[in-house]
Amino acid sequence: MKNYILLYITIVSVFSFNGYSQKAKIISGDKKYDSYAYVDAIKTYERVAEKGYKSADMFQKLGNAYYFNSDFEKAAKWYGELYALTPDLEPEYYYRYAQSLKAIGKENQANEMLEKFSQKSGNETRAKLFKKDSNYLEVIKANSGRYKIEDAGINSKYSDYGSAINSNQLVFASARDTGSLGQRKHKWTGQYFTNLYTSDLGEEITPGTITKFDATVNSKFHESTPTFTKDGKTMYFTRNNYLDGKKGKNENKITLIKIYKATLAENKWTNITELPFNSNNYSTGHPALSPDEKTLYFASDMPGTLGQSDLFKVKINEEGSFGTPENLGNTINTEGKETFPNITDENEIYFASDGHPGLGGLDVFMSKINSDGTFGEVQNVGSDINSPKDDFAYLIDTKSRKGFFTSNRDGGQGSDDIYKFLETRKLICLQELSGIVTDLETSEILPGTKVSLFDNQFNSISTIITDGNGYYSFEVECGKTYNIRAEKQEYTTKEQKITIAVSNGKTTLPIALEKATCKVAIGDDLGKCFGIKMIYFDLDKSFIRTEAALDLEKILDVLNQNPTMKLDIRSHTDSRQTFKYNEALSERRAKSTVQWLIKNGIDSSRLTGKGYGETQLINKCSDGVKCTEEEHQLNRRSEFIITAL
């Protein structure tokens, strides 16, 4: 994975070198490095270093040169030399060293460097992510084994990467056709500049014959990563800062990359224009359209970027103009590189990052886009797609679960290769969380109830209104804990916590709402106004428990508000134990309840109490009848019968 794809600019401070006979060669290497001629600079620095000369600056540049060109084995070698020479490094070098070590399978050393990075960088996002996800390899392992992957069949010995689908064609970038007259090599990579190519897709989304894309789009510089509107008439694509024969440069004389727009007219791509938020002084690239085509996502290092490159979005107005780009924020973006976004019609964003915990280099990650535009937890898609090298440009058809991605992993044909895949199991295990909202006292269904779903930190996820049957439903993730809030006029708002099972299925959560005001008459049970089914005592005891006192406080308050109200307090048991035992126990408990109210200020003349034992069972569960625990529970109850108002 090469620099022109990563969208970042390396800024190097030139340190002085004293006492080296190779000073002239090093200076020569510096010039090439600072002008991004990495391939030549590597040779110069390495020849000097192999003769035994040591310099922190030189080791930094050697490590960076290989790191930026995704040769992590050699990057680890030279970062290792740097660390051995001076272990007091800038935090970024610990991070790059760790990433390089991970890429060559040295996990323990990588984690050691990540710990040092965490200590050095303080509140840096990547450090927080490492601390939060210190067991990230276990998470990646759990997310793996979900894909069948094979070569896409369109790769060359050169770089082939990125892909989009347009009218049953796969459109991708390639550095092939090296024999063309006038085709030039790129200094950073030693390869030819990339152009766009197309390949017809068969019924199985398998690429076929390859042809070069429209000549009006392809130039003598880089073109890559297109995205198309559904009607196929508009495309956005990445190109070096080059338009109408003119090449733009930044203040350091470097040509960056921009996003361009083209329209299809008479089977030709015309009216190629750059987007208004481009600049000569920063890069924008790798555009991706939202399913409704009203938002363009892209990668950039524009002002406001948190790291080396971030993901942004910008509104596409109805008349074709654009809003102001917005950074996607620190849930998605880190101090590292985030690039190659892809938005699915299932409200998911896939992207590549080396800032989130991964296997090395760029990994592919996914996050759900919530209804309010915020993002859910970022998840590594697993070790099928991801490798110790760079993996990026993930594209999936959500109906067939087939797609493509790019990687420079070992075993490929070129520096970057396109692979096709079949996803056999979704990354996120989903369930339906549903239920019916009813009146607590009457069990009447309650249509028109507002039901809201929150995560375990009470961040809002979604809100719906119950239908005519009082029914609500949310799509939730397996194993997660959520909070449900139900609100309806004249009822007390209720919140419930629910933890979803770890496998696919359905979770049912009925919600019973209490009336905010309770209308009662003589003969009614006051306890029903508050959902009091039983005043709880310890087993075989008649002492008021803490949770029972809370319910009695509600009764106490009503009695204080209604000074003429009188209550008959009745305590009931189930049929287990002997008749005499149950009668005595219930009598003691009824009197304990009465005494608690008297102790808290209620005149004894307003209260009566009696224990009925098992004499007033409300179901079949008498002696000798086999019943469930739930059925027995119905008979164990406390009643607060209103005898006067």
Side-chain angles (χ1 to χ4, degrees), residues 486-495 511-517 529:
E487 304 169 78
K488 187 173 179 61
Q489 193 172 5
E490 298 183 357
Y491 285 85
T492 301
T493 297
K494 184 174 184 178
E495 287 185 339
I511 302 174
L513 295 183
E514 297 179 35
K515 273 285 185 76
T517 57
C529 287

Side-chain angles (χ1 to χ4, degrees), residues 344-379:
T344 73
D345 56 6
E346 295 182 338
N347 293 321
E348 298 167 333
I349 179 171
Y350 288 88
F351 63 97
S353 170
D354 68 0
H356 293 275
L359 297 175
L362 290 171
D363 275 20
V364 176
F365 296 85
M366 189 278 283
S367 174
K368 289 286 286 185
I369 304 175
N370 298 323
S371 58
D372 61 356
T374 59
F375 296 94
E377 178 185 2
V378 172
Q379 297 195 51

Side-chain angles (χ1 to χ4, degrees), residues 94-339:
Y94 290 105
Y95 187 80
R96 292 177 186 173
Y97 188 20
Q99 290 291 87
S100 302
L101 288 167
K102 276 198 296 183
I104 60 175
K106 296 184 177 181
E107 293 293 342
N108 292 335
Q109 287 179 261
N111 287 336
E112 181 184 340
M113 289 302 114
L114 281 172
E115 282 287 357
K116 292 183 181 296
F117 169 71
S118 179
Q119 294 166 11
K120 286 273 190 178
S121 60
N123 291 325
E124 214 255 34
T125 303
R126 289 173 292 176
K128 291 179 180 178
L129 288 171
F130 172 67
K131 288 179 180 178
K132 177 184 176 183
D133 300 323
S134 57
N135 65 334
Y136 66 92
L137 290 175
E138 290 300 315
V139 176
I140 293 173
K141 182 179 179 181
N143 292 343
S144 303
R146 303 183 301 106
Y147 291 92
K148 294 180 179 179
I149 295 172
E150 58 184 301
D151 187 290
I154 55 174
N155 293 306
S156 68
K157 63 180 181 179
Y158 300 97
S159 183
D160 304 282
Y161 71 95
S163 51
I165 294 177
N166 179 43
S167 301
N168 295 319
Q169 286 189 323
L170 187 72
V171 186
F172 63 99
S174 178
R176 65 188 67 201
D177 281 355
T178 57
S180 300
L181 289 175
Q183 194 166 9
R184 303 161 61 229
K185 282 189 176 182
H186 192 278
K187 287 183 179 180
W188 294 358
T189 64
Q191 290 202 19
Y192 292 89
F193 282 87
T194 60
N195 285 150
L196 295 179
Y197 290 78
T198 66
S199 176
D200 293 332
L201 291 175
E203 291 184 4
E204 298 299 316
I205 314 184
T206 300
T209 304
I210 300 169
T211 58
K212 213 163 187 176
F213 198 72
D214 196 304
T216 59
V217 172
N218 284 328
S219 72
K220 59 182 180 179
F221 294 103
H222 287 303
E223 282 80 32
S224 68
T225 53
T227 186
F228 298 87
T229 53
K230 293 184 180 72
D231 62 10
K233 294 180 179 179
T234 302
M235 72 176 289
Y236 300 90
F237 65 99
T238 307
R239 177 196 279 175
N240 278 118
N241 185 356
Y242 181 77
L243 186 63
D244 299 330
K246 297 179 181 179
K247 182 171 69 169
K249 297 182 178 181
N250 68 3
E251 57 189 15
N252 296 318
K253 308 300 182 184
I254 296 170
T255 299
L256 303 178
I257 60 175
K258 293 183 175 182
I259 300 174
Y260 294 84
K261 178 182 178 182
T263 54
L264 189 67
E266 298 179 356
N267 293 320
K268 291 288 183 181
W269 289 102
T270 63
N271 192 28
I272 297 175
T273 58
E274 66 169 276
L275 299 192
F277 48 84
N278 287 331
S279 171
N280 290 341
N281 295 315
Y282 55 77
S283 287
T284 56
H286 314 315
L289 281 167
S290 62
D292 63 7
E293 301 181 355
K294 295 179 180 180
T295 304
L296 188 72
Y297 292 77
F298 62 95
S300 180
D301 59 357
M302 64 172 56
T305 299
L306 303 177
Q308 297 173 48
S309 68
D310 281 5
L311 298 186
F312 292 79
K313 67 178 180 180
V314 63
K315 182 181 179 182
I316 304 174
N317 299 316
E318 289 188 9
E319 79 283 3
S321 64
F322 293 84
T324 301
E326 299 176 40
N327 190 296
L328 296 193
N330 59 12
T331 299
I332 299 296
N333 294 316
T334 69
E335 281 82 354
K337 297 183 290 289
E338 279 70 45
T339 186

